[in-house]
Amino acid sequence: MAALVDTAREVARHLLETPLPRRWSHVQAVAAKADRISEAVPSEDREVLVASAWLHDVGYSPGLVDTGFHSLDGGRWLRREGFNERIAALVAHHSCAWLEADERGLGAVLAAEFPREKTAVTDALCCADMTTGPDGQDFEVLDRLAEIRSRYGPEHLVTHFIDRAEPEMVAAVQRTQRRLAGVRQPM
């Protein structure tokens, strides 16, 4: 995996390493995991998966915040900067972001601006993100979701989103694990 991944890594480092070191730790671990599980996606998609993993949280960078919804802000910024349109859309929709967009009143905006892909790549990106903790530690998906809920508290919008997204996030992780085990499942 060459230039695209290298560029994504450097962009993420520039945007996250200094202002958000904890987020940077998470992103590094998500990208490393995406690389490790990339055999769960077709060979022609592996570079896109890993590049998207590097970029999935750039919307948290203080200089990029527009709506306050990191997935949408990151996707928009990547598009403005001329990144691959597919990667911008993967970032905008990563880890069931369409459900969080609904919670934020931005569902129609996200859907209008970025197509949502439903592929092994989206599953693997969700798997890498939802099995990696905020400091880069490995988690089982249910433990990761519990960690997010405990960090935000029971009444927070993010907790409501996680409650809605849990079945799909767990399913994405399971589909990725089956693919890695060599069992192809229909999307």
Side-chain angles (χ1 to χ4, degrees):
M1 291 184 220
L4 181 60
V5 171
D6 291 342
T7 298
R9 179 178 44 249
E10 289 312 307
V11 166
R13 179 191 320 273
H14 172 74
L15 293 170
L16 299 171
E17 184 176 35
T18 300
L20 300 169
R22 188 174 194 205
R23 181 69 51 190
W24 174 236
S25 294
H26 167 75
V27 165
Q28 290 176 88
V30 170
K33 187 172 287 181
D35 187 51
R36 285 194 308 275
I37 68 171
S38 66
E39 290 182 7
V41 306
S43 58
E44 64 272 14
D45 289 336
R46 292 176 185 162
E47 187 175 34
V48 167
L49 168 63
V50 177
S52 298
W54 277 111
L55 297 166
H56 81 281
D57 276 352
V58 296
Y60 282 115
S61 179
L64 305 188
V65 175
D66 178 29
T67 66
F69 178 36
H70 81 281
S71 299
L72 180 59
D73 292 347
R76 283 176 168 175
W77 184 84
L78 290 166
R79 177 182 279 156
R80 282 193 309 271
E81 293 297 309
F83 273 81
N84 174 301
E85 185 65 27
R86 184 178 182 203
I87 290 174
L90 286 165
V91 167
H93 282 285
H94 79 274
S95 300
C96 301
W98 63 94
L99 293 171
E100 185 173 350
D102 286 345
E103 291 289 327
R104 294 175 178 274
L106 294 168
V109 172
L110 180 63
E113 291 187 32
F114 294 97
R116 180 165 63 106
E117 179 176 318
K118 298 177 189 176
T119 64
V121 174
T122 58
D123 284 349
L125 183 57
C126 182
C127 178
D129 190 22
M130 289 297 117
T131 61
T132 304
D135 298 306
Q137 65 274 51
D138 281 328
F139 273 111
E140 293 297 323
V141 63
L142 293 176
D143 295 333
R144 170 73 163 130
L145 298 176
E147 178 277 322
I148 293 169
R149 288 179 178 107
S150 70
R151 197 162 15 110
Y152 284 94
E155 299 306 316
H156 197 277
L157 176 147
V158 170
T159 300
H160 296 291
F161 150 64
I162 291 296
D163 290 344
R164 287 182 61 200
E166 180 175 325
E168 179 53 32
M169 289 177 169
V170 169
V173 170
Q174 291 171 341
R175 287 189 298 264
T176 300
Q177 290 168 339
R178 283 193 302 269
R179 288 182 184 109
L180 285 170
V183 179
R184 295 279 175 187
Q185 297 292 317
M187 297 298 294

